[in-house]
Amino acid sequence: MNVFKAQVPAAEASSRVRRWQINWQQQITAYAFLLPAILAFAAFAWWPIFNSILMSFQQVNLVDASKSSWVGFKNFERMFLDPTFAASWRNSFEFAILSIIIGFFIPVLVGILVNEMRWAKGFFRVVYFLPSVIPPLIAILVWRLIYSPQPGGLLNQIVIGLGGRSQDWLFNTSLTKPSMLIIMTWGGFGATMLIYLATLQDLPIELYEAAEIDGASVWQRIWHITLPHLRSTMLVMMIVQVLGIVQIFLEPFVLTKGGPGQATMTPVFTLYRKGFLNGDYGLAAAWSVLLMIVLGFLSIIYLRLTRSTPNN
Amino acid sequence: MESWNRGILSNLELQTWRGRLIYLGMVLVLVLLALVVILPFLYAFSSGLKSNRDIYSPAFQLWPDVPLWQNYTQAWNYFSLPRLFGNTLILVIGGLAAQIGTSLLAAYSLSKLKPIGGQFILLGFLVTLMIPGMAYIIPLYVTVARLDLLGSFWGLWLPYGVNAFMIFILKNFFDGLPSEIFDAARVDGASALQMFTRIALPLSRPIIIVLAILTFVNLWKDFLWPYLVLLEVPELQPVSVFLFTVEQRSTTPPNIQMAGYFMAMLPPLLIAVFLQRYMQRGLSIGAVKG
């Protein structure tokens, strides 16, 4: 390579040559650096994603791929006809609506309030963030005892202390979804709040000054200045929240096994049951394909939003 | 942190009784919320100190009359927590090394070594961000089963090497490093590997630390994948998987359970308290570049 370069005399010619000439040695190095990532992605992301499409048209043999047989759209047919199909997605929808009511505005409000603090800001930030770092599974096991209908259950003790009636929080059809969403909100609002706090740092305080001079009340300032500033972040966070809600798995898996009735059956939990408990990997793959379409669609909206908003 | 001229309320308003009342209301909301947030931790801690009888007492009692500290030593041995923490640490450190190692190399190559078709490879990495892992956990499991990696740490470490988000962050970071440094080193005869280890790595140390802490906590939190891979080998299971399987199989008294859960929560809690600056910076990287 070097020899070849040395044979070209004029500088002009050499630059023209270099435009199409490939430095193979550099290319080999470049691909050597890329190799671990390419291998990892090929084996544990690209192939499984592609394979889930293949598997959804197969009756899958877990041990030996060559013994899997093609069954056409049968898996999809079975998926759509299964009564848990409608129940799972309806639950997802209900979870999404409820989670927006219960959990969406808390981090917005808390972010605004923490940003307003003149002292102990750091303290609140850390405390609210703590539930986000512990393993969700352990948190759920603790919450199971908080919700316990037995005498030691914390929530019932508090409710009774306040003059209410004890409830079976996780196995009452109308309470089970909100109860799970409270666990999720507890575990996640602190991290989301930090994102709102970061967004609030770019809000020019002159706006508040001008509003105050114009006689705007505190509530009017929040409504007309703070919230509009947070709007684009809120939109992004709403998509993130729905993305998380569609993937609810651990809470039903640990706490209710999809019950009471089918009240907490979710798509991922159903997929888990079809695949890992029933060993019906083809049917589970059909569920995977549908989930990929739904989640991919939401992710594209998310990526669109984060590209186009000036704050991000 | 920042010099405070004002918030929504001005300092002048805070001198008035009205302003003070509003501010006090805000503080009250936040303090109450902080108590609610801490309550489950407190409940786990104090339940761990209760006797077998007190734990079923129907009356609300945050602190037991006679705290039984020996519950904690009992839970420590009963759940064999040292082994569980050891397993979790091995799993997390290996996953961390795989993830940061592959991501650093790939990001450096894409940014500085200009591979032909690099754009397409980057796109291939980023496409995986659109499909959360939950959606293809079944075929991933099938792949890992066919590679005969079930029941070993390799079945966790290798898939943990996939993180398109980290590649993206690091590539952006490397793109921001001035190319003059690298050109100068190349003129001095440095190889690509030397430039990577002597220039790129030292310069990216701050961002690597932030990403490493974030990844550490995230891998420590992971449950389903370790559960699926290590289902048959209890002696390798990390802390949340083992505590779950024990909880499913036996009837451990709730006070011992809670003592165990509280101790299991401590390591990540300590990380969050002591390394919070790094963690919060990591989160904001995620939020801004997401």
Side-chain angles (χ1 to χ4, degrees):
Chain A
M1 192 62 61
N2 285 332
V3 178
F4 174 71
K5 250 190 240 166
Q7 282 169 348
V8 181
E12 196 187 316
S14 110
S15 82
R16 208 182 321 136
V17 168
R18 214 173 285 150
R19 198 172 298 163
W20 53 262
Q21 139 197 354
I22 296 168
N23 184 340
W24 287 108
Q25 202 182 336
Q26 189 189 329
Q27 285 304 315
I28 290 171
T29 323
Y31 272 90
F33 274 68
L34 272 173
L35 195 65
I38 290 178
L39 286 179
F41 273 78
F44 305 115
W46 298 331
W47 168 246
I49 290 170
F50 180 67
N51 196 24
S52 71
I53 300 170
L54 294 185
M55 281 167 60
S56 66
F57 295 105
Q58 290 176 332
Q59 191 178 4
V60 178
N61 183 314
L62 181 60
V63 190
D64 187 354
S66 66
K67 285 198 184 125
S68 301
S69 55
W70 298 94
V71 295
F73 283 92
K74 223 178 207 155
N75 289 325
F76 288 96
E77 225 169 86
R78 284 163 61 214
M79 172 174 77
F80 288 124
L81 292 178
D82 190 335
T84 50
F85 178 81
S88 300
W89 285 102
R90 197 178 49 237
N91 284 334
S92 256
F93 184 73
E94 284 177 30
F95 264 124
I97 301 287
L98 274 172
S99 87
I100 285 168
I101 297 169
I102 294 175
F104 181 71
F105 295 100
I106 292 177
V108 181
L109 175 77
V110 176
I112 293 173
L113 295 189
V114 169
N115 196 45
E116 192 61 21
M117 290 296 106
R118 304 295 205 268
W119 43 264
K121 228 183 213 185
F123 167 78
F124 288 123
R125 263 206 298 236
V126 175
V127 168
Y128 298 151
F129 185 57
L130 288 181
S132 325
V133 299
I134 57 170
L137 186 107
I138 296 173
I140 290 170
L141 291 178
V142 171
W143 277 92
R144 154 179 273 179
L145 289 162
I146 292 177
Y147 283 137
S148 166
Q150 288 179 330
L154 176 67
L155 189 59
N156 276 338
Q157 290 177 343
I158 294 174
V159 166
I160 290 167
L162 296 172
R165 248 197 232 159
S166 84
Q167 301 285 349
D168 194 349
W169 301 96
L170 292 169
F171 288 93
N172 175 325
T173 314
S174 53
L175 290 175
T176 180
K177 284 191 188 92
S179 299
M180 286 184 178
L181 286 167
I182 285 171
I183 304 179
M184 294 174 219
T185 306
W186 174 80
F189 86 95
T192 313
M193 179 213 69
L194 290 176
I195 291 164
Y196 286 119
L197 263 181
T199 311
L200 283 171
Q201 302 313 308
D202 336 313
L203 199 162
I205 51 170
E206 293 78 19
L207 293 178
Y208 289 136
E209 229 143 71
E212 190 188 344
I213 293 166
D214 289 347
S217 71
V218 171
W219 172 243
Q220 283 171 324
R221 285 174 228 169
I222 293 177
W223 186 254
H224 291 293
I225 299 172
T226 323
L227 287 178
H229 179 77
L230 292 178
R231 202 175 52 200
S232 56
T233 310
M234 283 169 71
L235 204 58
V236 173
M237 287 301 127
M238 189 174 286
I239 300 289
V240 172
Q241 189 169 333
V242 174
L243 264 169
I245 291 293
V246 175
Q247 298 178 70
I248 291 179
F249 167 75
L250 267 189
E251 286 80 5
F253 174 70
V254 177
L255 297 172
T256 60
K257 299 278 174 260
Q262 294 190 322
T264 56
M265 205 71 90
T266 62
V268 177
F269 182 58
T270 314
L271 175 156
Y272 172 87
R273 285 176 15 135
K274 303 289 179 199
F276 294 112
L277 297 187
N278 304 349
D280 196 343
Y281 292 96
L283 179 59
W287 281 81
S288 284
V289 169
L290 184 65
L291 256 177
M292 276 190 216
I293 294 170
V294 173
L295 294 174
F297 179 70
L298 288 168
S299 300
I300 289 169
I301 299 177
Y302 168 77
L303 291 174
R304 272 282 167 90
L305 287 172
T306 47
R307 287 292 138 73
S308 59
T309 49
N311 290 330
N312 295 287
Chain B
M1 207 157 72
E2 54 276 280
S3 64
W4 261 103
N5 302 319
R6 62 166 300 144
I8 296 168
L9 289 158
S10 68
N11 287 344
L12 205 65
E13 276 176 303
L14 282 178
Q15 309 290 316
T16 65
W17 67 268
R18 227 185 108 81
R20 278 183 189 166
L21 212 64
I22 294 173
Y23 188 77
L24 198 70
M26 292 176 168
V27 174
L28 214 64
V29 170
L30 291 181
V31 169
L32 277 177
L33 187 66
L35 288 176
V36 172
V37 167
I38 293 182
L39 193 62
F41 296 112
L42 261 182
Y43 176 64
F45 180 55
S46 80
S47 302
L49 292 170
K50 286 179 182 171
S51 68
N52 285 335
R53 202 165 46 89
D54 280 356
I55 192 89
Y56 288 115
S57 136
F60 175 72
Q61 182 192 31
L62 195 52
W63 198 254
D65 300 327
V66 190
L68 298 175
W69 294 98
Q70 62 266 35
N71 284 353
Y72 275 83
T73 39
Q74 202 186 324
W76 180 264
N77 297 323
Y78 176 81
F79 292 117
S80 44
L81 278 174
R83 190 194 76 210
L84 297 189
F85 285 143
N87 285 345
T88 318
L89 212 59
I90 294 171
L91 185 163
V92 168
I93 302 257
L96 192 68
Q99 204 163 100
I100 293 198
T102 54
S103 302
L104 272 171
L105 288 169
Y108 180 74
S109 173
L110 289 172
S111 172
K112 294 291 178 216
L113 302 178
K114 307 273 178 262
I116 298 167
Q119 243 92 344
F120 293 104
I121 294 172
L122 180 64
L123 194 71
F125 291 153
L126 293 181
V127 162
T128 63
L129 285 180
M130 271 184 264
I131 306 168
M134 271 298 195
Y136 58 91
I137 197 150
I138 297 269
L140 179 64
Y141 179 81
V142 171
T143 303
V144 169
R146 285 180 182 155
L147 290 172
D148 203 19
L149 295 174
L150 291 183
S152 91
F153 282 130
W154 291 103
L156 296 158
W157 291 333
L158 296 179
Y160 282 151
V162 172
N163 188 339
F165 178 65
M166 195 181 273
I167 294 177
F168 181 68
I169 298 281
L170 287 170
K171 182 190 173 288
N172 277 353
F173 178 81
F174 288 140
D175 284 345
L177 294 178
S179 51
E180 288 81 13
I181 316 175
F182 293 92
D183 291 340
R186 198 173 297 125
V187 170
D188 289 344
S191 70
L193 190 65
Q194 282 171 328
M195 287 191 280
F196 176 68
T197 54
R198 306 256 173 90
I199 303 173
L201 281 189
L203 285 176
S204 50
R205 224 178 63 182
I207 194 167
I208 294 175
I209 291 174
V210 169
L211 290 174
I213 292 171
L214 213 62
T215 310
F216 187 94
V217 172
N218 281 338
L219 292 183
W220 191 286
K221 284 165 70 174
D222 201 12
F223 169 77
L224 184 56
W225 190 242
Y227 173 74
L228 291 173
V229 172
L230 300 175
L231 190 57
E232 308 291 337
V233 275
E235 66 276 9
L236 294 184
Q237 287 173 353
V239 63
S240 30
V241 174
F242 189 81
L243 289 179
F244 173 71
T245 45
V246 166
E247 199 258 8
Q248 294 289 295
R249 276 179 205 151
S250 65
T251 46
T252 318
N255 48 354
I256 302 298
Q257 279 182 40
M258 287 302 233
Y261 300 159
F262 184 75
M263 287 188 282
M265 290 191 286
L266 274 182
L269 281 182
L270 292 177
I271 290 181
V273 171
F274 289 109
L275 302 177
Q276 49 138 327
R277 269 186 319 130
Y278 294 104
M279 291 214 59
Q280 297 188 357
R281 205 176 308 153
L283 267 173
S284 65
I285 295 177
V288 174
K289 298 285 185 213

